[in-house]
């Protein structure tokens, strides 16, 4: 039955009312809801019927989509928005009523006995896991024109972040299922995309045959955006370039929980006997170096939630992990954003706020947003919440009166807020890893990175790449290789340590014990050197390297290198100007390029045993 529009002028006003006959009953219901929610301004410029009718229908298609993709619909979104905007205007700390304290967690030192035990336990258990990459972010701070996961994680091999992640998961899969003689159970990878990243992520995977994963092993799930708000009353914002479109922005990586819940994948994973879900972010080339040991911590401590963390300087701009105890006695271990932690400490009997202790770091470790959840308790929790996560709003006000915004805002949510709704009985812990080993995200563009105070990490493409070489150099050092110390250089106005450019494929050195087994004898590598090892079964027993050496071996080739001396002009690091448009963007944002002056290639194409003994080249 068609809607009765006899009272429409009364509720729909001068502009919308004459257009109502164009709409279906469902669309009229949505129109009524918008007006009731104080959104009549959306129709202020609507012309009379017959003019731009297609745009009007498209407007309601978008409203229907926004309504269906938010739990409770647009009404719930607007109600939540008004409440959060009022709290924000009043300067309310979302954790008021809670007292922060330092929680218990596991602190790992790379390479020691405990670290290797956890790594072993983690590798064994990896076959029962599933990985989830959140990659729907706009990446505004980096400002790269493509998707971030397509960027080279370093430019010696030019392997992209996505390639590195997938190759590492495949290496874990093989190692966990006991090598190539055993039946290998594929470890699933979900990538959460958004309209901003979906097509390019899909294309990157297709062009590269999923980097070796099976077609149904990697699944893309797209998150939807949410409506933008232009004032404290929760007025929906129209797109500045199209008055028939509501402006939308990403809702944050917290969407990953509802997206996973709605996908039905969690129950499928449970039927496949999976036990763990590991969440990670888009541009941290070091992230998998701490994964096996951290998964081992989850297993051996039986944690429902394990957040990976690094030491953090007081007030450093990353969230701190804290235990929060409420006046009513309830407790949670949770990430508290750095700008909330300091005032919370000050208002709860710590007048100095967040300060460094004798270790030189804040006692509250820094959350790096790699999370490991126990699947069984995750499924139970999502059955209650359907994946909804506590939201927040972060408007940029024009002035201290906090009455108008510089630009439209929207509600957001973060995946690390998941423990906020967990019962107190849940086992929520964390694992602290050394920063050099586990955390070097690429988030900032060259200009902003150059402004980061000296001594603080610039989190740029420059620092992200140099961190890979440093981590690999330090790992080899711990395995007994003499590695010449770094030079301090400046690229894109950022001072960085330049270590030998050492890179290996994940299958060669997934864990520290793998590396230790494969490097023996007297080995030394000079600072100017490049060393790339790409092959599973390559052992080095004695090496003097002063130049560039690439060792590449096909699967099943067993390569044993003994007493090898390599000396050549190596690959040189040449500064480039970040503003020089003749240089590809992916290079420009690093401020340097690598130039071949001399190298030695050792290529092993046959799947058989090869020995190289006592050779100088
Ligand atoms: P970031 O905090 O780096 O945000 O996200 P961003 O949106 O990518 O970059 P900026 O803030 O605009 O500079 C951390 C991780 O969360 C993902 C990102 O892709 C990244 O892996 N993310 C972020 C989503 O998946 N969805 C979102 O809505 C936001």
């Amino acid at each position: 039955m068609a809607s009765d529009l006899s009272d429409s002028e009364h509720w729909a006003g001068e502009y919308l009312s004459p257009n109502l006959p164009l709409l279906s009953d469902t669309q009229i219901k949505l129109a009524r809801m918008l007006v009731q929610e104080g959104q009549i301004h959306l129709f202020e410029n609507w012309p009379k019927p017959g003019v731009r009718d297609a745009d009007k229908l498209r407007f309601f298609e978008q409203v229907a989509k926004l309504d269906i993709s938010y739990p409770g619909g647009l009404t719930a979104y607007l109600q939540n928005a008004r409440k959060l905007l009022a709290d924000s205007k009043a300067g309310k700390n979302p954790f008021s009523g809670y007292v922060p304290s330092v929680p218990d967690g596991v602190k790992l030192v790379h390479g020691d006995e405990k670290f290797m035990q956890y790594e072993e336990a983690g590798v064994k258990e990896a076959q029962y896991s599933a990985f989830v990459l959140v990659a729907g972010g706009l990446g505004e701070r980096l400002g790269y024109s493509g998707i971030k996961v397509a960027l080279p994680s370093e430019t010696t091999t030019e392997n992209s972040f996505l390639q590195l992640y997938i190759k590492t998961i495949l290496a874990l899969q093989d190692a966990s299922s006991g090598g190539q003689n055993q039946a290998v159970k594929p470890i699933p990878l979900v990538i959460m995309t958004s309209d901003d990243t979906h097509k390019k992520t899909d294309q990157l995977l297709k062009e590269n045959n999923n980097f070796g994963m099976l077609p149904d092993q990697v699944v893309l799930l797209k998150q939807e955006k949410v409506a933008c708000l232009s004032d404290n009353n929760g007025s929906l914002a129209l797109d500045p370039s199209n008055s028939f479109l509501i402006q939308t922005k990403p809702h944050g990586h917290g969407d990953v929980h509802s997206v996973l819940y709605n996908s039905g994948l969690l129950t499928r994973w449970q039927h496949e006997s999976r036990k763990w879900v590991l969440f990670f972010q888009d541009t941290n080339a070091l992230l998998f170096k701490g994964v096996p040991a951290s998964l081992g911590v989850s297993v051996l401590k039986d944690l429902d939630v394990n957040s990976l963390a690094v030491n953090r300087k007081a007030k450093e701009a990353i969230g701190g992990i804290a235990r929060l105890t409420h006046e009513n006695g309830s407790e949670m271990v949770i990430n508290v954003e750095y700008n909330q932690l300091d005032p919370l400490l000050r208002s709860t009997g710590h007048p100095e706020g967040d300060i460094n202790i004798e270790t030189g770091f804040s006692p509250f470790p820094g959350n790096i947003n790699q999370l490991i959840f126990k699947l069984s308790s995750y499924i139970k929790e999502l059955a209650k919440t359907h994946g909804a996560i506590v939201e927040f709003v972060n408007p940029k006000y024009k002035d201290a009166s906090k009455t108008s915004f510089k630009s439209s805002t929207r509600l957001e949510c973060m995946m690390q807020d998941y423990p906020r709704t967990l019962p107190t009985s849940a086992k929520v812990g964390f694992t602290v890893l050394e920063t050099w080993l586990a955390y070097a995200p690429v988030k900032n563009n060259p200009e902003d990175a150059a402004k980061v105070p000296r001594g603080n990490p610039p989190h740029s493409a420059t620092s992200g790449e140099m961190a890979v070489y440093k981590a690999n150099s330090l790992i080899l050092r711990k395995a007994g290789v003499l590695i010449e110390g770094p030079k301090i250089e400046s690229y894109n106005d950022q001072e960085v340590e330049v270590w030998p450019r050492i890179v290996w494929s994940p299958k060669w050195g997934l864990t520290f014990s793998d590396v230790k087994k494969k490097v023996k004898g007297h080995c030394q590598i000079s600072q100017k050197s490049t060393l790339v090892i790409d092959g599973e079964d390559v052992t080095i027993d004695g090496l003097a390297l002063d130049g560039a050496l690439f060792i590449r071996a096909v699967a099943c080739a067993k390569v044993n290198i003994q007493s090898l001396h390599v000396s050549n002009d190596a690959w040189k690091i040449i500064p480039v100007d970040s503003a020089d448009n003749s240089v590809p963007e992916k290079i420009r944002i690093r401020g340097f390029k690598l130039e071949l002056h001399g190298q030695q290639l050792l290529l092993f194409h046959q799947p058989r045993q090869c020995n190289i003994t006592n050779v100088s080249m």
Side-chain angles (χ1 to χ4, degrees):
M1 199 182 71
S3 289
D4 174 11
L5 299 177
S6 54
D7 67 338
S8 69
E9 278 220 23
H10 177 63
W11 64 267
E14 183 185 348
Y15 299 102
L16 174 59
S17 177
N19 284 295
L20 289 174
L22 298 172
L23 308 181
S24 69
D25 283 0
T26 319
Q27 288 169 330
I28 290 172
K29 263 193 204 145
L30 289 171
R32 234 181 229 280
M33 176 274 291
L34 286 175
V35 174
Q36 276 162 5
E37 290 296 330
Q39 309 295 338
I40 199 146
H41 65 280
L42 296 171
F43 307 103
E44 258 165 23
N45 293 318
W46 276 34
K48 54 184 193 286
V51 183
R52 303 197 66 176
D53 289 350
D55 287 335
K56 294 169 193 165
L57 294 179
R58 257 196 300 275
F59 172 87
F60 272 101
E61 275 167 30
Q62 187 201 14
V63 171
K65 195 169 159 198
L66 289 170
D67 191 54
I68 204 159
S69 50
Y70 188 84
L74 263 175
T75 314
Y77 181 75
L78 293 167
Q79 279 164 5
N80 293 342
R82 283 191 282 265
K83 181 175 178 312
L84 288 167
L85 285 164
D87 287 352
S88 166
K89 191 174 177 198
K92 204 165 152 190
N93 191 318
F95 295 113
S96 65
Y98 283 96
V99 176
S101 59
V102 180
D104 299 323
V106 174
K107 292 199 175 168
L108 295 181
V109 177
H110 176 266
D112 73 5
E113 199 63 11
K114 197 167 92 175
F115 184 90
M116 299 214 311
Q117 278 164 6
Y118 280 127
E119 269 200 329
E120 197 186 333
V123 170
K124 266 194 201 140
E125 195 78 358
Q127 59 188 309
Y128 306 114
S129 62
F131 284 82
V132 180
L133 166 62
V134 288
L138 278 173
E140 275 174 325
R141 283 170 290 169
L142 185 63
Y144 177 57
S145 61
I147 47 168
K148 289 187 274 176
V149 289
L151 275 170
S153 54
E154 33 74 24
T155 49
T156 298
T157 67
E158 294 213 326
N159 288 340
S160 66
F161 283 104
L162 190 55
Q163 177 172 8
L164 173 69
Y165 298 157
I166 290 184
K167 293 283 179 205
T168 314
I169 294 170
L170 290 173
L172 260 172
Q173 178 181 298
D174 277 353
S176 187
S177 35
Q180 283 153 355
N181 299 329
Q182 304 295 316
V184 176
K185 204 162 118 193
I187 295 179
L189 168 66
V190 166
I191 306 177
M192 183 174 78
T193 57
S194 67
D195 276 330
D196 297 313
T197 61
H198 187 84
K199 267 196 200 138
K200 287 182 179 168
T201 310
D202 192 39
Q203 195 182 345
L204 180 66
L205 285 165
K206 286 201 174 109
E207 281 169 4
N208 293 284
N209 291 325
N210 291 340
F211 297 108
M213 277 196 167
L214 299 170
D216 56 355
Q217 188 173 2
V218 46
V219 175
L220 302 194
L221 299 175
K222 188 153 72 88
Q223 67 175 137
E224 294 301 337
K225 293 187 184 176
V226 287
C228 291
L229 309 153
S230 56
D231 58 31
N232 284 325
N233 300 324
S235 303
L236 291 171
L238 285 171
D239 194 295
S241 59
N242 182 348
S243 59
F244 291 89
L245 193 68
I246 294 173
Q247 194 183 13
T248 58
K249 284 188 182 167
H251 189 218
H253 44 58
D255 274 352
V256 73
H257 304 302
S258 60
V259 163
L260 276 177
Y261 174 77
N262 292 323
S263 73
L265 281 171
L266 298 175
T267 33
R268 189 204 293 176
W269 291 345
Q270 200 171 37
H271 290 138
E272 291 170 1
S273 306
R274 302 198 179 276
K275 296 186 213 160
W276 309 100
V277 189
L278 291 90
F279 296 85
F280 62 105
Q281 303 196 154
D282 54 11
T283 54
N284 177 11
L286 302 184
L287 69 88
F288 275 92
K289 294 200 184 288
V291 162
S294 307
L295 179 56
V297 171
S298 281
V299 175
L300 297 175
K301 305 263 172 203
D302 193 33
L303 295 179
D304 292 301
V305 174
N306 182 8
S307 301
L308 276 53
V310 292
N311 280 326
R312 156 183 172 281
K313 292 271 184 202
K315 303 183 184 64
E316 193 183 325
I318 59 173
I321 296 178
R323 181 192 295 112
L324 297 183
T325 310
H326 198 262
E327 292 151 354
N328 65 16
S330 67
E331 242 183 40
M332 59 183 169
V333 175
I334 192 88
N335 170 73
V336 182
E337 288 303 302
Y338 71 98
N339 53 352
Q340 293 164 348
L341 182 59
D342 190 68
L344 192 61
L345 281 162
R346 287 175 197 276
S347 65
T348 53
H350 304 89
E352 288 169 312
D354 183 22
I355 47 166
N356 293 328
I357 52 168
E358 59 288 352
T359 55
F361 294 102
S362 161
F364 298 95
N367 166 46
I368 60 170
N369 250 355
Q370 281 172 247
L371 308 166
I372 306 178
F373 291 180
K374 192 198 282 174
L375 179 61
S376 55
S377 53
Y378 184 45
I379 287 182
K380 249 191 223 159
E381 182 64 13
L382 293 199
K384 281 191 269 160
T385 63
H386 297 189
I389 291 293
V390 176
E391 293 167 305
F392 64 96
V393 70
N394 190 14
K396 306 276 179 283
Y397 298 107
K398 270 198 184 141
D399 55 43
S401 70
K402 295 189 175 178
T403 42
S404 46
F405 307 158
K406 283 186 189 157
S407 59
S408 64
T409 189
R410 82 290 195 183
L411 299 193
E412 293 176 77
C413 59
M414 304 189 291
M415 65 176 174
Q416 66 270 32
D417 276 337
Y418 163 77
R420 282 173 78 166
T421 56
L422 279 176
T424 318
S425 57
K427 285 178 87 175
V428 182
F430 61 90
T431 304
V432 183
L433 299 151
E434 291 147 290
T435 310
W436 65 264
L437 178 73
Y439 191 53
V442 175
K443 281 185 186 288
N444 293 323
N445 62 58
E447 295 73 41
D448 290 342
K451 288 185 211 144
V452 172
R454 201 177 272 190
N456 287 6
H459 290 167
S460 63
T462 317
S463 62
E465 172 156 359
M466 290 302 173
V468 174
Y469 306 138
K470 175 175 179 172
N472 288 339
S473 294
L474 291 181
I475 293 170
L476 280 191
R477 250 193 196 172
K478 290 201 175 197
V481 179
L482 295 174
I483 306 266
E484 191 182 348
K487 279 193 178 155
I488 306 294
E489 306 275 3
S490 180
Y491 301 106
N492 277 353
D493 292 327
Q494 300 154 53
E495 243 177 37
V496 281
E497 289 180 13
V498 182
W499 290 76
R501 273 67 67 207
I502 300 173
V503 187
W504 56 75
S505 56
K507 279 200 168 189
W508 184 78
L510 185 63
T511 61
F512 184 55
S513 56
D514 287 339
V515 173
K516 266 182 48 166
K517 269 184 238 148
K518 289 174 177 170
V519 184
K520 295 177 253 180
H522 179 83
C523 296
Q524 63 183 63
I525 299 175
S526 68
Q527 189 276 339
K528 78 167 202 200
S529 297
T530 290
L531 172 64
V532 173
I533 309 171
D534 180 12
E536 188 174 349
D537 205 348
V538 175
T539 49
I540 300 175
D541 185 356
L543 170 71
L545 176 60
D546 184 34
L549 171 64
F550 289 75
I551 307 169
R552 297 193 193 278
V554 294
C556 299
K558 200 171 164 46
V559 177
N560 186 21
I561 292 170
Q562 274 185 318
S563 305
L564 175 66
H565 291 247
V566 175
S567 172
N568 55 50
D569 286 339
W571 287 48
K572 299 220 159 91
I573 306 181
I574 311 294
V576 296
D577 182 352
S578 68
D580 181 353
N581 287 338
S582 67
V583 178
E585 188 184 5
K586 64 182 183 185
I587 300 296
R588 218 160 62 213
I589 57 174
R590 289 158 215 272
F592 63 85
K593 63 179 178 185
L594 301 177
E595 207 170 78
L596 168 62
H597 286 244
Q599 66 178 9
Q600 187 61 54
L601 303 179
L602 295 180
L603 306 176
F604 302 92
H605 296 299
Q606 302 299 325
R608 56 179 156 82
Q609 167 109 26
C610 304
N611 295 323
I612 292 202
T613 309
N614 254 329
V615 180
S616 291
M617 23 180 76

